[in-house]
Amino acid sequence: MTLILVAIGIAIACVMVLLSVNRGRNRSELEQHSLSAEQLESLMASGQKVSLFDIRQPLDLLAYPELIPGAKWVSPEEVLKTPSLLPRDEDIVVYCTCPGDKTSLSVLHRALALGFTRIKLLNGGLAAWKRKGYGVEPYRESFRLSIPTVAPAAR
């Protein structure tokens, strides 16, 4: 019985070590593929070409119809379904308004898995940009609100 408990303890310790290593790897990847609002502003002010994508949910855009100057809005579902909407041969920055940059992280991970190397996310998204006092511009294009599909009721 003692041997079984020792084996279980060792297995639990191994799992915890693996989770810690994976968490560190994810944190390192995030640091490598993210930038602050100050860094983005500096990059834009330098005149370096960067493709900026606002990937907020349509309802978020409806509530706050504004973008970082030069950004293009694309629904996150569209980008995840059709990553070719992102240019492979340009520096790309994506941002959202989700807690923890959840949507930006989803798009970042998908793009990295597909071999994109020049993509970063804006830490803190649009809120971080605005908190620093950087300008925004109104979003004036039309868009469709996504309506979630509901499974038909069982008969």
Side-chain angles (χ1 to χ4, degrees):
M1 183 67 169
T2 304
L3 191 57
I4 292 173
L5 290 175
V6 169
I8 290 172
I10 290 172
I12 290 172
C14 288
V15 167
M16 291 181 72
V17 167
L18 287 173
L19 288 174
S20 176
V21 167
N22 192 32
R23 198 173 303 125
R25 191 176 303 136
N26 286 344
R27 191 173 298 121
S28 174
E29 181 180 80
L30 179 60
E31 289 170 5
Q32 179 184 357
H33 293 286
S34 64
L35 56 127
S36 67
E38 296 93 340
Q39 290 170 313
L40 176 58
E41 197 280 332
S42 177
L43 184 67
M44 292 168 65
S46 75
Q48 183 174 339
K49 180 156 175 43
V50 61
S51 293
L52 191 57
F53 290 91
D54 182 313
I55 53 171
R56 290 180 287 159
Q57 296 293 338
L59 283 176
D60 293 328
L61 184 64
L62 183 63
Y64 300 99
E66 56 195 14
L67 303 168
I68 294 174
K72 176 182 179 185
W73 178 77
V74 181
S75 77
E77 291 80 18
E78 206 175 330
V79 171
L80 290 170
K81 188 171 49 175
T82 314
S84 62
L85 292 171
L86 302 176
R88 282 189 176 272
D89 58 343
E90 296 176 15
D91 292 325
I92 302 167
V93 176
V94 295
Y95 68 90
C96 62
T97 52
C98 302
D101 299 318
K102 183 180 174 186
T103 301
S104 294
L105 280 169
S106 297
V107 169
L108 174 71
H109 287 132
R110 175 89 165 114
L112 291 173
L114 292 170
F116 285 78
T117 57
R118 297 171 66 181
I119 185 167
K120 294 186 183 279
L121 67 85
L122 174 60
N123 276 327
L126 183 60
W129 179 263
K130 289 169 58 175
R131 239 187 336 270
K132 290 294 178 180
Y134 301 134
V136 293
E137 60 188 22
Y139 183 78
R140 293 192 171 106
E141 296 179 34
S142 62
F143 62 95
R144 287 185 53 175
L145 292 177
S146 302
I147 300 173
T149 56
V150 179
R155 293 184 185 203

